Amino acid sequence: MEAAAVPRSVAACRPAPALPAARALALPRRALAVSIAAASTRRLHLTARRAADGEGADTAPEAVPIEKRFPPFPSVMDINQIREILPHRFPFLLVDRVIEYKAGEYAVGIKNVTINDNFFPGHFPERPIMPGVLMVEAMAQVGGLVMLQPEVGGSRDNFFFAGIDKVRFRKPVIAGDTLIMRMTLTKYQKRFGLAKMEGKAYVGGDLVCEGEFLLVSATE
């Protein structure tokens, strides 16, 4: 007796063949990606809430407003202390603050360059640039703060800028910049009151001026 033919309806009920391995894994991966994205979004929202509450600033600096990201300059000498040391006065006092100082070795001072400085109307009306000679003068005044300290024995009444050498201007300094000047004592002849100093001035991390300075502080 011949076997009965299998009806087409029975064949249609057979289980479908298994999916290829790559296709079978694709669905869980998509689900995992969606889950990771959702978790990342939750973390971002949580970080934003913490930043708004003043928390988590160390882990999310980009969430801190820009006006809160930069610490103020330290103040080793304020303008009143500087005025007690230097004989210069308006419009030629060109150091606003000393932010670091080591007696008989070096000083770091700052000059806030503002459009209200009296030299800008003439240098230049259409492009306000700080004159190079005034940058050198400001650096010499920072050097004077090193020399005119009691530890060095300088005389405020007999203080002179005696010479400059190898001065180079690297970049222009414009209104709105903060000029940071480091003056380092490299040689001092106390008998003659002669001091040789190395000076470097920066705006941010950019070197804008450098040179060698000779200062004289003579006693009466």
Side-chain angles (χ1 to χ4, degrees):
M1 185 175 180
E2 295 181 1
V6 178
R8 293 184 63 186
S9 59
V10 174
C13 294
R14 290 176 181 171
L19 291 172
R23 188 177 173 187
L25 290 174
L27 292 176
R29 284 177 181 168
R30 285 197 205 101
L32 180 61
V34 171
S35 177
I36 292 173
S40 298
T41 302
R42 287 195 297 270
R43 282 197 299 269
L44 287 174
H45 288 316
L46 180 60
T47 299
R49 286 200 303 271
R50 287 178 175 175
D53 295 336
E55 301 176 4
D58 294 338
T59 58
E62 69 280 357
V64 179
I66 190 169
E67 66 271 18
K68 297 182 180 180
R69 293 181 196 171
F70 305 101
F73 284 108
S75 183
V76 176
M77 296 182 197
D78 62 21
I79 189 61
N80 294 317
Q81 293 169 305
I82 291 171
R83 284 165 56 89
E84 291 176 359
I85 298 169
L86 293 179
H88 307 77
R89 291 296 180 267
F90 176 84
F92 240 70
L93 180 55
L94 301 175
V95 185
D96 293 321
R97 181 185 295 186
V98 173
I99 62 176
E100 191 171 287
Y101 172 76
K102 189 168 184 180
E105 294 188 21
Y106 68 88
V108 182
I110 65 173
K111 158 67 178 164
N112 294 306
V113 183
T114 166
I115 195 63
N116 292 317
D117 281 316
N118 71 323
F119 47 78
F120 278 134
H123 198 278
F124 301 99
E126 302 302 323
R127 191 185 179 194
I129 297 176
M130 185 175 184
V133 291
L134 293 185
M135 292 168 58
V136 170
E137 170 64 24
M139 295 167 73
Q141 291 181 17
V142 176
L145 292 170
V146 177
M147 286 192 63
L148 296 179
Q149 294 295 322
E151 299 88 348
V152 182
S155 171
R156 169 179 166 148
D157 297 328
N158 293 279
F159 169 68
F160 304 100
F161 184 10
I164 53 175
D165 194 16
K166 300 179 182 178
V167 173
R168 296 291 183 272
F169 301 102
R170 305 296 183 186
K171 289 187 176 183
V173 176
I174 63 175
D177 285 341
T178 298
L179 189 65
I180 305 175
M181 302 162 285
R182 176 180 288 269
M183 294 292 289
T184 304
L185 188 64
T186 57
K187 187 176 181 180
Y188 181 48
Q189 295 179 328
K190 188 173 182 179
R191 179 180 177 184
F192 302 104
L194 294 174
K196 187 174 183 180
M197 309 192 80
E198 178 185 74
K200 293 182 183 292
Y202 302 85
V203 172
D206 296 328
L207 179 66
V208 296
C209 181
E210 61 181 332
E212 296 176 355
F213 294 70
L214 185 64
L215 307 176
V216 178
S217 180
T219 58
E220 294 183 352

